[in-house]
Amino acid sequence: DVVSLQPIVMGNRMDILAVVSDTTTPSSPQLKVFACAITATVSMAGGIQTITLSDPSSFTQVTFANIEDETLLTGYSPLDIVAEYWGDGQYTDLVAIKLYKPMSPPMLVRYQFTSGGSPTLTRVRAMRIDNSDMIFCPMRDEVVFYVPKARQIFAQRWDKIIVMGKGQSRFMYPLNEYNVSSIIQFRCVSERGFFQILTKATGSTR
C-alpha cells in the first residue's frame, strides 16, 4: 500500500518518492521508501515546442546512507515525506521525512536525495517532535507544525549546531486573535514558502 507520494524535480528529470507499506510479513509490516524516474525531452518543429515525457522507470528501493551515528535512527520507519525548496520552487534535492518507532520519540529528518541507478537519502538534520500525528510543512530554516488535537500551529527552527537536536525556540501562531474555533484544513505549499488553513471562526463562518 502507498502511504505517501512526493515528486522531486531536478532539471529534466522527475523522481517520484513513495512511502510504501511492505506487508510481505503480515504480522510485522514495514514502511520503506521507493523511487521511480520520469525524464522530459524537448523538441522544436515549425516553431512549436513539444515536451515528451518518458514512461516511468520501475520503482527502486531507496538506500538510507550509512553515516557515522546512523544507529540513532535504527528501527525507525517513514510515515510521510515532503519536498523542501530553497530556490524558486522549480528544483530541489532536499526532502523532510517524518519517522516513527515504537516506544521512542518520533523524528523529523531532513535528507538530501541523490537520484540515479541507486537512489540514496543522506541525512542532513534531524529534529525530535512531540508526536507522530503532527502535520509538518518545511520552510527552509524552520518547519511549521500543525497539531490537530491541540488545534495549534507553530514554527520551529532546525538546530544548526546539534544534528539530532530538539529544534530551537517555537513561534506560536496567534489563532485566538482571529477568533478561530476550529481548523478544517491545513495545506502546505512549501515550494512557495507558505501554508494555508481553512478555519471555522466564532459565528460558524469559514
Side-chain angles (χ1 to χ4, degrees):
D1 296 333
V2 176
V3 178
S4 178
L5 283 173
Q6 178 63 62
I8 306 294
V9 178
M10 290 179 282
N12 69 333
R13 176 188 176 102
M14 179 176 69
D15 289 270
I16 300 175
L17 299 186
V19 178
V20 178
S21 177
D22 182 356
T23 56
T24 304
T25 306
S27 60
S28 181
Q30 296 181 2
L31 291 171
K32 300 177 181 179
V33 179
F34 288 79
C36 76
I38 299 173
T39 56
T41 303
V42 180
S43 60
M44 293 290 294
I48 299 176
Q49 177 177 285
T50 303
I51 300 176
T52 304
L53 300 178
S54 69
D55 292 331
S57 65
S58 58
F59 272 96
T60 303
Q61 185 171 348
V62 176
T63 300
F64 285 81
N66 185 23
I67 57 179
E68 186 175 345
D69 55 356
E70 192 62 40
T71 55
L72 292 173
L73 294 177
T74 298
Y76 276 87
S77 297
L79 290 178
D80 197 7
I81 181 169
V82 177
E84 288 199 42
Y85 292 89
W86 282 76
D88 58 4
Q90 300 297 318
Y91 172 93
T92 185
D93 62 353
L94 294 174
V95 295
I97 301 179
K98 182 169 62 177
L99 300 175
Y100 168 78
K101 179 181 178 180
M103 306 303 291
S104 297
M107 304 289 295
L108 183 66
V109 185
R110 172 186 285 167
Y111 287 98
Q112 184 172 29
F113 176 67
T114 304
S115 62
S118 300
T120 304
L121 288 167
T122 304
R123 195 184 75 220
V124 179
R125 293 284 174 198
M127 179 193 303
R128 283 171 278 179
I129 58 178
D130 297 341
N131 61 73
S132 58
D133 294 329
M134 298 169 69
I135 299 171
F136 65 97
C137 185
M139 300 280 186
R140 300 184 180 181
D141 284 332
E142 64 185 22
V143 183
V144 174
F145 290 97
Y146 165 46
V147 189
K149 292 182 179 179
R151 290 183 295 183
Q152 292 180 337
I153 297 177
F154 63 88
Q156 188 163 337
R157 295 180 68 84
W158 293 97
D159 194 320
K160 295 182 179 180
I161 299 176
I162 304 174
V163 174
M164 297 290 288
K166 294 182 179 179
Q168 298 181 337
S169 300
R170 295 181 177 182
F171 170 80
M172 305 296 298
Y173 285 87
L175 300 179
N176 291 336
E177 294 183 11
Y178 295 94
N179 298 321
V180 173
S181 61
S182 62
I183 298 174
I184 300 170
Q185 183 184 69
F186 177 92
R187 181 169 178 260
C188 175
V189 191
S190 61
E191 63 269 27
R192 294 289 178 252
F194 68 86
F195 66 91
Q196 294 176 321
I197 57 174
L198 176 62
T199 68
K200 192 172 183 179
T202 304
S204 298
T205 57
R206 296 187 180 184

